[in-house]
């Protein structure tokens, strides 16, 4: 499908992946949180029509064993379909205006940091035309990953406490959906005061990791989390990809607690083996919060409409011409979720 892009969320992955690519795969167009309007539809596409409004998420083949089991984030063709900058047959979808050299694209089956994107039925979710596409862009990845981790991986009962390390877009989405689901105790750990304040607006307890000596209640992060959760969190989510923080998250758990590491960046993590072996704790990762975009995105939109997933205020919009400002603000932590908006 040819999609006219209306808005594109700017995700940490968009900033990280290009720095990891070999030189021969540059230049490349990233962007994987696109929303837009379908302008043309291929002959093999069913269920999506010209004029439909869509959220574009990650691709999967829908035919391998993981896909048939519903685990589309672990598709056997995921690397080829999402990261290698070309179609499955090796052809590319973009070219320079002067024709001089290859431009790689097809990032997450969309490369939506562009006015138009070529997308597919397996990664497009049709949404109500009355909905604001600028607010839905982060549902494609960031919000989906945070909320999906709570709903699909943890599935906690209301009395089980959760601690979230990193109150950015992914972390706050996890906090929002957890509180919307009625969880009684949610703790947010973040060094940025404004983000801790946002977590507190959801009813979460906020911990400043830098503040270990302020008063008699201060101390190591893991001890403060344990005090707030009655002996340790049942579940921890790390969104920071910082090795020392992941270690804090592990140590913040109660016996048999579960840590899900979501961040992309660190090549290695240090695990406290004694703590792990003596407590039955589990440390694991998750791709996109175990979400199937065709299922999870409509579910999250329904929760949003019901007032149980309040995330609109986390979005800050920028005209696409201000992409440099959006990147700078994202890196500085002055905004939670920058979304680039394309003009007509």
């Amino acid at each position: 499908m040819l999609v006219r892009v209306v808005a594109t969320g700017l995700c940490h992955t968009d900033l990280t992946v290009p720095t990891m690519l070999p030189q021969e795969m540059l230049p490349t167009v990233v962007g994987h949180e696109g929303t837009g309007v379908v302008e043309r539809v291929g002959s093999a596409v069913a269920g999506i029509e010209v004029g439909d409004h869509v959220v574009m998420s990650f691709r999967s083949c829908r035919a391998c064993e993981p896909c048939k089991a519903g685990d589309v984030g672990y598709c056997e063709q995921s690397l080829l379909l999402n990261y290698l900058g070309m179609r499955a047959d090796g052809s590319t979808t973009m070219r320079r205006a002067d024709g001089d050299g290859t431009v790689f694209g097809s990032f997450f089956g969309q490369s939506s940091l562009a006015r138009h994107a070529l997308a597919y039925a397996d990664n497009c979710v049709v949404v109500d035309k009355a909905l604001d596409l600028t607010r839905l862009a982060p549902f494609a990845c960031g919000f989906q990953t945070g909320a999906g981790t709570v709903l699909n991986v943890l599935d906690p009962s209301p009395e089980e406490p959760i601690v979230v390390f990193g109150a950015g877009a992914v972390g706050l989405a996890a906090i929002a959906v957890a509180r919307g689901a009625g969880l009684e105790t949610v703790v947010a750990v973040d060094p940025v005061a404004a983000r801790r304040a946002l977590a507190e607006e959801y009813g979460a307890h906020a911990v400043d990791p830098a503040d270990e000596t302020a008063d008699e209640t201060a101390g190591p992060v893991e001890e403060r989390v344990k005090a707030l959760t009655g002996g340790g969190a049942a579940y921890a989510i790390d969104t920071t990809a910082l090795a020392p923080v992941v270690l804090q998250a592990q140590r913040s758990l109660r016996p048999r607690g579960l840590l899900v590491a979501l961040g992309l960046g660190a090549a290695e993590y240090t695990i406290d083996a004694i703590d792990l072996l003596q407590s039955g704790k589990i440390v694991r990762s998750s791709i996109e919060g175990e979400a199937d975009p065709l299922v999870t995105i409509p579910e999250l939109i329904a929760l949003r409409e019901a007032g149980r997933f309040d995330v609109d205020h986390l979005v800050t919009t920028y005209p696409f011409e201000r992409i440099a400002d959006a990147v700078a603000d994202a890196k500085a932590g002055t905004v939670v979720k920058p979304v680039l908006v394309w003009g007509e």
Side-chain angles (χ1 to χ4, degrees):
M1 294 170 290
L2 178 66
V3 179
R4 175 176 59 81
V5 180
V6 171
T8 314
L10 188 63
C11 182
H12 177 71
T13 303
D14 294 315
L15 306 181
T16 303
V17 167
T19 68
M20 303 168 66
L21 293 175
Q23 188 63 36
E24 56 267 25
M25 286 186 64
L26 299 174
T28 188
V29 178
V30 291
H32 63 290
E33 291 185 340
T35 58
V37 180
V38 177
E39 290 194 338
R40 296 180 65 182
V41 177
S43 60
V45 173
I48 302 178
E49 300 177 349
V50 171
D52 281 344
H53 290 197
V54 294
V55 176
M56 295 178 281
S57 190
F58 66 90
R59 288 206 68 194
S60 55
C61 75
R62 303 277 166 176
C64 66
E65 289 305 312
C67 282
K68 288 189 288 186
D71 301 321
V72 297
Y74 303 92
C75 172
E76 293 174 357
Q77 301 299 317
S78 182
L79 182 64
L80 174 61
L81 296 176
N82 292 289
Y83 294 103
L84 293 189
M86 60 190 72
R87 297 186 182 96
D89 65 1
S91 62
T92 54
T93 59
M94 299 182 180
R95 58 184 172 84
R96 291 173 57 103
D98 60 12
D100 184 16
T102 299
V103 176
F104 292 91
S106 298
F107 192 64
F108 281 60
Q110 54 183 283
S111 287
S112 54
L113 284 174
R115 291 189 180 276
H116 285 82
L118 288 174
Y120 302 81
D122 60 73
N123 72 324
C124 281
V125 179
V126 178
V127 298
D128 189 330
K129 294 179 182 178
L131 298 176
D132 184 352
L133 290 175
T134 66
R135 303 294 160 179
L136 295 187
F139 283 65
C141 181
F143 290 173
Q144 174 177 243
T145 298
T149 298
V150 173
L151 299 177
N152 302 326
V153 182
L154 308 184
D155 190 22
S157 57
E159 67 277 6
E160 291 182 305
I162 291 180
V163 58
V164 178
F165 286 80
V170 175
L172 286 169
I175 291 166
V177 85
R179 292 292 295 161
L183 266 70
E184 298 166 3
T185 304
V186 178
V187 180
V189 181
D190 197 287
V192 179
R195 295 191 174 191
R196 294 196 304 274
L198 286 169
E200 289 176 327
E201 289 177 10
Y202 287 117
H205 301 283
V207 172
D208 180 358
D211 186 8
E212 297 191 357
T213 59
D215 54 44
E216 65 275 8
T217 65
V221 169
E222 50 265 45
E223 295 305 319
R224 282 182 279 164
V225 173
K226 288 180 179 179
L228 291 168
T229 57
Y235 304 104
I237 298 173
D238 174 72
T239 71
T240 71
L242 299 173
V245 177
V246 172
L247 186 59
Q248 288 177 334
Q250 178 200 337
R251 290 171 172 168
S252 297
L253 292 169
R254 63 180 54 175
R256 302 183 71 184
L258 169 63
L259 163 61
V260 183
L262 298 176
L264 175 65
E268 295 181 346
Y269 290 140
T270 298
I271 299 301
D272 185 337
I274 294 177
D275 175 61
L276 190 73
L277 296 171
Q278 292 184 342
S279 64
K281 296 177 182 179
I282 299 171
V283 178
R284 61 159 294 182
S285 64
S286 173
I287 295 177
E288 295 282 345
E290 311 298 284
D292 178 345
L294 303 186
V295 176
T296 301
I297 291 176
E299 289 178 346
L300 293 179
I301 291 174
L303 288 175
R304 171 184 179 265
E305 295 304 291
R308 295 170 54 198
F309 188 50
D310 179 17
V311 290
D312 282 11
H313 63 291
L314 303 180
V315 171
T316 302
T317 59
Y318 298 76
F320 187 77
E321 291 76 13
R322 290 185 57 207
I323 184 172
D325 294 334
V327 171
D329 291 348
K331 288 182 176 180
T334 56
V335 299
V336 173
K337 188 63 185 184
V339 171
L340 301 161
V341 180
W342 295 85
E344 293 294 335

